[in-house]
Amino acid sequence: MGLRDFFLTRITKVSSEPKKEIKENLWTKCVHCGEICYKQEVESLLNTCPICGFHFKISAMEKIKIIVDENSFEPINETLCSLDPLKFKDSKKYPERVKAAQKKTGLNDAFISGRALVDGMPVNIGALEFNFMGGSMGSAAGEAIARLVEDAVSRRCHVITISSSGGARMQESILSLMQMAKTAAALARLNESGLGHISVFTNPTTGGVTASYSMLGDINISEPGALIGFAGARVIKSTIRQELPPGFQTAEFVQNHGMVDLIVHRLELRKSVSDILNFFG
Ligand SMILES: [Zn+2]
């Protein structure tokens, strides 16, 4: 009897007992296959489903930790945060939205970046935190990405970026769109210096992030099943007035169309990144 079966029998046995006997946080339901999974098992698999392999959402910092050597991550540019030059207001003032996101995540803006080691090799690595205003790229995130890349050029190491984003930050309008050019220009300088960029797509990677630095990896890697696209499927469908092909904008679809090089399970990610870094030399 496997660990999961054992616990499934356990849950049947205790189900007649009062509800409070079942510890709520012991189990989790996979949103993809609907199976009830033992939470500890899911966690030991880096938050993936033991049945169907679905990748649960994790934080930007957890994604970084999966790849880098233990305790090797040293954050840089932590204090960068968005200003409000446009005095933007929708149902709430922009600075209020930023403040709420800062409180929720403990970060100053959406992009975490730093220096680290992968199998002893120095790298600069950064990730967008989806919980910070949908991982949107405004001036602060764009600046953090550009600085991360420039720091890599100055200390001669490769760059790893991990994306999870709804796109450019609409509250900063044109200023956020300018980050697309800025991050792309920084990566061009990295390329001219003979250094590599590994881009990792996690669910979802969309909009201005996909359309800028994310797609500019020398090697583009995606988590299985991740949504990768520019405009949303509904918008495209209503614009071109045609049915979209099955699996449209999934990692697998995008790979078949040549925009992603590898689809890698979270458990294999560190090894894949390490192999690529060795290949870069
Ligand atoms: Zn599942």
Side-chain angles (χ1 to χ4, degrees), residues 175-237:
L175 297 173
S176 67
L177 298 183
M178 285 158 71
Q179 308 312 311
M180 295 167 65
K182 184 160 77 183
T183 53
L187 284 170
R189 285 195 289 276
L190 183 80
N191 186 262
E192 282 160 17
S193 310
L195 297 163
H197 171 213
I198 301 172
S199 181
V200 182
F201 301 83
T202 66
N203 188 45
T205 299
T206 60
V209 167
T210 306
S212 62
Y213 78 90
S214 273
M215 274 293 168
L216 294 175
D218 293 294
I219 305 283
N220 291 338
I221 304 176
S222 179
E223 281 187 349
L227 172 75
I228 303 168
F230 180 58
R234 237 181 327 159
V235 175
I236 296 173
K237 201 175 162 183

Side-chain angles (χ1 to χ4, degrees), residues 108 140 187 238 266:
N108 276 319
L187 284 170
S238 64
R266 220 172 256 167

Side-chain angles (χ1 to χ4, degrees), residues 29-192:
K29 188 176 177 179
C30 173
V31 293
H32 188 251
C33 69
E35 288 284 335
I36 309 287
C37 308
Y38 186 46
K39 208 168 182 181
Q40 206 176 321
E41 191 182 3
V42 171
E43 283 166 5
S44 72
L45 298 171
L46 302 176
N47 287 294
T48 59
C49 174
I51 314 295
C52 72
F54 177 77
H55 284 45
F56 292 91
K57 278 208 167 121
I58 54 172
S59 71
M61 200 60 233
E62 284 172 301
K63 289 173 194 170
I64 290 173
K65 281 183 180 166
I66 284 174
I67 295 177
V68 304
D69 297 352
E70 210 176 343
N71 299 325
S72 72
F73 183 77
E74 292 168 28
I76 56 171
N77 300 314
E78 278 180 298
T79 54
L80 282 175
C81 67
S82 284
L83 300 173
D84 184 23
L86 304 176
K87 306 282 173 231
F88 188 88
K89 189 183 174 201
D90 46 75
S91 60
K92 261 190 201 169
K93 285 181 179 170
Y94 176 44
E96 285 173 21
R97 289 197 185 279
V98 171
K99 216 174 266 175
Q102 286 172 335
K103 201 174 164 196
K104 185 174 163 190
T105 59
L107 304 171
N108 276 319
D109 208 272
F111 193 75
I112 303 176
S113 52
R115 297 172 168 187
L117 300 171
V118 175
D119 276 345
M121 293 173 273
V123 293
N124 275 17
I125 184 166
L128 274 172
E129 173 55 67
F130 195 82
N131 282 325
F132 197 109
M133 298 186 72
S136 54
M137 178 169 69
S139 316
E143 179 67 19
I145 295 163
R147 286 192 195 181
L148 177 77
V149 174
E150 279 161 8
D151 183 62
V153 171
S154 67
R155 71 189 201 106
R156 304 249 355 126
C157 70
H158 304 299
V159 172
I160 302 161
T161 59
I162 308 166
S163 301
S164 176
S165 175
R169 189 170 297 172
M170 61 178 87
Q171 289 85 352
E172 291 190 29
S173 187
I174 187 70
L175 297 173
S176 67
L177 298 183
M178 285 158 71
Q179 308 312 311
M180 295 167 65
K182 184 160 77 183
T183 53
L187 284 170
R189 285 195 289 276
L190 183 80
N191 186 262
E192 282 160 17

Side-chain angles (χ1 to χ4, degrees), residues 232-246 248 253:
R234 237 181 327 159
V235 175
I236 296 173
K237 201 175 162 183
S238 64
T239 309
I240 63 169
R241 293 168 197 274
Q242 277 184 31
E243 279 303 312
L244 298 169
F248 184 65
F253 182 92

